[in-house]
Amino acid sequence: MQNPTTLLNRIKDTRTKVQRVIMTALSATLMSALLGTAQAQTSAPMPPAMKPDPNAPSAASQEPIQNLLDREPEPLFSDNTLVPYAPASGGIQGTADGLDGGALYLMAKLTRDSQPLNDNLIWRIYSETTNADGRLQLIATSKGGDAEFRLDPGAYMIHTSYGYAQATNRIVIGKEVLSKMVTLNAGGIKFYATLPDGAPLESGPVTFDIYSREFDQRGERDLIASSVKPGSIIRLNADTYHIVSRYGDANAEIRADIQVLPGKLTEATIFHKAADITLKLVNERGGEAIANTTWSVLSPGGDVVVEATGAFPDFVLAAGEYEAVARNNGRTYLHTFTVEPGADREVEVVSSISELVSGSSRAN
């Protein structure tokens, strides 16, 4: 029979070993649970960021301003066929009939975030093969908003225009129904012209020409639109354009580079420092104009700015100093005058016989 003290010690040792095993198992279970929780939190998607308060000044100051032209180029065709197919209400364009060809349904929008355009679109479908003249053959056209075409199987070029904004895409048609959204990545520009005092030039001879910003191999810019009137809205692809505004037909001309943003209407105001000047050759101040007079207006450097013939030649001249040269009945008369911005007036050249010197007269 064992000693009671020895038996009691063995029981204590056994109890200690059991406690260690239980604690080890609990520790392992707890560690596994913690790791599992951490992995679940890592793999779970992050909750969406809260929309910042637009009225909070701190949020507005920390958010950088994004130039829309710096965004990645948008796909002209949607990657997936997201536009629901719907037969057009008008007649079907194209060459294929029935089930022998495919159906193509097209829509367009200015940007990927804007609504589809409902009018002022022009669609042109070209065959990818050229004709005898070496040009792409025009297969079908449509005007308005969305368009539907029935086409024979094959490859086609789709040209979409919205004003001067345009896009060209290639598509292969089989015997199926396709629907595509064209993203033009375009905006608009509206022109205004004023004098320095703010007086608008609405009915005057003011026009705008729109050029591409880049030069071609001949050192010239491509003319996109010409003789645009003030107040007109011109639709263009998003880009920077070179604008030339002319007031009259002489030298009153202002140039500027203007950026068109996608989906935005840019309003551009050009300030012209010029005036409308009428020339008269008279025998005395306040007298009647002498007919059959030939005129030249010279710059301070002696360059000819404009020429005309008549009793009342009328020019719009840029602000500055000029010399008027009047020729009549074999005599030449000179007169220096100044043009002030917005100060339209008559300029008289007096033909005084007493002032003739070597067949010419310098009027005061």
Side-chain angles (χ1 to χ4, degrees):
M1 186 174 180
Q2 295 183 356
N3 189 322
T5 302
T6 303
L7 181 58
L8 181 59
N9 290 336
R10 288 181 179 179
I11 292 174
K12 290 181 178 180
D13 292 340
T14 302
R15 182 184 299 173
T16 302
K17 291 179 181 181
V18 171
Q19 290 176 349
R20 289 176 180 176
V21 171
I22 293 174
M23 291 299 295
T24 301
L26 288 175
S27 299
T29 303
L30 180 59
M31 184 63 68
S32 176
L34 291 175
L35 289 175
T37 302
Q39 291 174 356
Q41 292 177 351
T42 302
S43 59
M46 294 183 63
M50 295 182 62
K51 185 176 181 180
D53 183 4
N55 298 321
S58 59
S61 60
Q62 294 176 0
E63 183 178 356
I65 298 175
Q66 181 188 22
N67 187 340
L68 296 181
L69 290 179
D70 293 337
R71 287 167 36 165
E72 290 296 325
E74 300 177 358
L76 295 179
F77 266 167
S78 56
D79 295 333
N80 300 316
T81 305
L82 300 178
V83 181
Y85 174 74
S89 58
I92 297 175
Q93 306 288 328
T95 60
D97 297 323
L99 299 176
D100 294 335
L104 178 62
Y105 183 69
L106 296 172
M107 298 181 71
K109 55 185 180 179
L110 292 178
T111 68
R112 62 188 177 192
D113 303 323
S114 62
Q115 296 297 317
L117 299 169
N118 296 321
D119 51 23
N120 298 318
L121 286 167
I122 299 178
W123 301 92
R124 296 181 178 91
I125 308 296
Y126 293 89
S127 172
E128 195 176 43
T129 58
T130 57
N131 56 21
D133 298 330
R135 299 180 179 180
L136 297 178
Q137 182 179 359
L138 180 62
I139 302 298
T141 62
S142 179
K143 297 181 180 180
D146 53 342
E148 180 192 4
F149 301 92
R150 293 292 179 91
L151 301 169
D152 290 322
Y156 297 90
M157 303 300 294
I158 301 174
H159 183 268
T160 312
S161 61
Y162 183 63
Y164 291 94
Q166 54 186 332
T168 302
N169 297 279
R170 180 180 183 273
I171 194 169
V172 178
I173 299 292
K175 293 183 178 181
E176 71 274 327
V177 175
L178 294 179
S179 56
K180 292 294 182 180
M181 178 71 77
V182 176
T183 302
L184 291 168
N185 194 36
I189 185 169
K190 187 175 184 179
F191 294 109
Y192 300 96
T194 68
L195 293 171
D197 61 359
L201 296 173
E202 297 176 348
S203 58
V206 179
T207 59
F208 298 85
D209 293 339
I210 304 175
Y211 294 85
S212 63
R213 189 176 58 168
E214 294 77 15
F215 294 93
D216 57 20
Q217 295 179 350
R218 297 175 298 178
E220 299 177 353
R221 303 178 191 265
D222 291 332
L223 177 63
I224 298 173
S226 63
S227 301
V228 178
K229 294 296 184 179
S232 302
I233 297 177
I234 304 299
R235 304 178 181 95
L236 297 162
N237 290 102
D239 205 343
T240 300
Y241 296 89
H242 186 72
I243 309 300
V244 179
S245 178
R246 294 182 175 88
Y247 181 25
D249 299 324
N251 66 340
E253 179 181 291
I254 302 295
R255 294 174 175 265
D257 289 337
I258 298 177
Q259 187 181 57
V260 175
L261 298 175
K264 305 293 183 180
L265 176 63
T266 300
E267 295 187 343
T269 300
I270 301 297
F271 294 89
H272 278 281
K273 296 180 179 180
D276 192 300
I277 302 297
T278 300
L279 299 178
K280 295 171 57 179
L281 178 64
V282 296
N283 290 321
E284 59 182 2
R285 295 196 180 280
E288 295 293 329
I290 301 175
N292 300 321
T293 302
T294 300
W295 297 89
S296 296
V297 177
L298 308 180
S299 68
D303 297 325
V304 176
V305 177
V306 66
E307 294 180 320
T309 300
F312 299 95
D314 183 82
F315 316 106
V316 175
L317 298 174
E321 186 176 280
Y322 299 90
E323 187 169 51
V325 181
R327 300 178 180 89
N328 184 273
N329 198 23
R331 291 183 173 90
T332 301
Y333 307 91
L334 306 177
H335 179 67
T336 300
F337 66 97
T338 301
V339 176
E340 299 290 340
D344 300 344
R345 66 188 182 98
E346 288 186 348
V347 174
E348 292 183 340
V349 179
V350 180
S351 62
S352 174
I353 300 300
S354 61
E355 295 178 355
L356 284 175
V357 178
S358 300
S360 67
S361 168
R362 183 172 295 275
N364 296 322

